[in-house]
Amino acid sequence: MTIIDGKKTSQDIKDEVRDEVAKLKKGGVEPMLAVILVGENPASQVYVRNKKRACEYTGIRSLSYELPENTTEEELLKLIDELNNRSDCDGILVQLPLPKHIDEKKITNAISPKKDVDGFHPVNVGNMLIGDECFLPCTPHGIIELLHRYGVVLDGKKAVVVGRSNIVGKPMAMLLLRENATVTICHSHTSDLKKECTEADILIAAIGKPKFFTPEYIKNGAAVIDVGMDRDENGKLCGDVDFEAVKDKCSFITPVPGGVGPMTIAMLMQNTLISSSHRMR
């Protein structure tokens, strides 16, 4: 059994990005990411702080907008429009969730697809679906990167994705399909979840239920990727998979924390780099 170290792999990717950023700067291009936070959600503040730290490490300039909770939708749209039109801004990230009075869909759609480094804009989602060039959503893309770098074979394998969110489940299934895996998406209405999971060579758990996946859900020798970020009964950080109980059944497994989580920010840095390199065209 191999524990997939997302912390180390994300560090490798950030180092690669840092080298490429240094080359771009020599050519007169300074990559820049604008990060917008509305309100004072503590989890969002942590995420934004981590994103700024990653920008600092890789040499990407970060523009930070920390707006009050009562910011209007109109004010936010105006800021996005300004950033869309700034030639020195390569990526725009609006930290979700937004306060209830702001329509998240409207905000996501307002970001230029060319600066949508989160990969959430319908144009990027559509291009991903048909296999055209686009920004890939960071978490699913990070998972594919982990599987590649650890030599997990996807071609011809049965992959089961549990969870159908727009941010992880659906794009994850699409990216696995692109890797020639045979993909099943399971969700709360799946009639025999256990049976589906035990047939999976690659199991992606993304349902937000602490330690839900126990050994009877796991096929011997499966690669198990845990996207969950939960708290157990003692308030300790854990994933959707009961790591200690299932690890000996797996060929590969990601821990929580230190598995998928760090990859999301590393891929965000990579997307910002890709966007800034388009300025050289």
Side-chain angles (χ1 to χ4, degrees), residues 182-234:
T182 300
V183 185
T184 301
I185 304 177
C186 296
H187 44 77
S188 56
H189 291 249
T190 299
S191 61
D192 193 345
L193 180 61
K194 207 170 278 185
K195 179 181 176 290
E196 297 290 350
C197 292
T198 53
E199 291 173 2
D201 301 307
I202 296 112
L203 177 67
I204 314 283
I207 57 170
K209 288 188 178 178
K211 298 184 180 178
F212 178 87
F213 295 92
T214 48
E216 59 269 26
Y217 284 87
I218 312 296
K219 177 182 179 179
N220 278 323
V224 176
I225 305 294
D226 192 348
V227 192
M229 192 64 83
D230 315 303
R231 298 270 172 193
D232 65 14
E233 62 280 3
N234 304 313

Side-chain angles (χ1 to χ4, degrees), residues 79-241:
L79 173 59
I80 289 168
D81 187 51
E82 284 167 16
L83 293 167
N84 280 338
N85 290 306
R86 275 186 69 160
S87 59
D88 62 341
C89 175
D90 301 296
I92 302 167
L93 184 145
V94 178
Q95 185 64 47
L96 303 177
L98 287 165
K100 287 192 167 43
H101 64 278
I102 297 176
D103 182 345
E104 285 187 3
K105 199 172 179 182
K106 199 184 274 187
I107 298 305
T108 301
N109 293 359
I111 296 169
S112 163
K114 293 176 180 174
K115 299 189 180 191
D116 166 43
V117 286
D118 255 336
F120 293 163
H121 193 285
V123 168
N124 282 319
V125 174
N127 282 336
M128 175 184 64
L129 193 66
I130 60 175
D132 278 1
E133 189 186 345
C134 63
F135 289 118
L136 298 174
C138 300
T139 301
H141 189 197
I143 291 167
I144 294 290
E145 198 65 32
L146 277 177
L147 292 167
H148 280 169
R149 291 186 185 223
Y150 272 82
V152 178
V153 176
L154 299 174
D155 198 307
K157 299 295 180 184
K158 174 152 186 179
V160 172
V161 180
V162 190
R164 52 176 166 179
S165 73
N166 291 334
I167 292 173
V168 179
K170 289 178 193 170
M172 189 74 248
M174 281 303 112
L175 295 185
L176 286 163
L177 206 52
R178 273 169 59 160
E179 299 289 331
N180 299 317
T182 300
V183 185
T184 301
I185 304 177
C186 296
H187 44 77
S188 56
H189 291 249
T190 299
S191 61
D192 193 345
L193 180 61
K194 207 170 278 185
K195 179 181 176 290
E196 297 290 350
C197 292
T198 53
E199 291 173 2
D201 301 307
I202 296 112
L203 177 67
I204 314 283
I207 57 170
K209 288 188 178 178
K211 298 184 180 178
F212 178 87
F213 295 92
T214 48
E216 59 269 26
Y217 284 87
I218 312 296
K219 177 182 179 179
N220 278 323
V224 176
I225 305 294
D226 192 348
V227 192
M229 192 64 83
D230 315 303
R231 298 270 172 193
D232 65 14
E233 62 280 3
N234 304 313
K236 194 173 173 231
L237 203 59
C238 69
D240 292 351
V241 176

Side-chain angles (χ1 to χ4, degrees), residues 247-269:
K247 64 180 184 184
D248 294 331
K249 270 191 107 171
C250 306
S251 56
F252 295 89
I253 187 168
T254 59
V256 176
V260 172
M263 293 297 293
T264 302
I265 290 179
M267 303 320 288
L268 174 68
M269 297 301 109

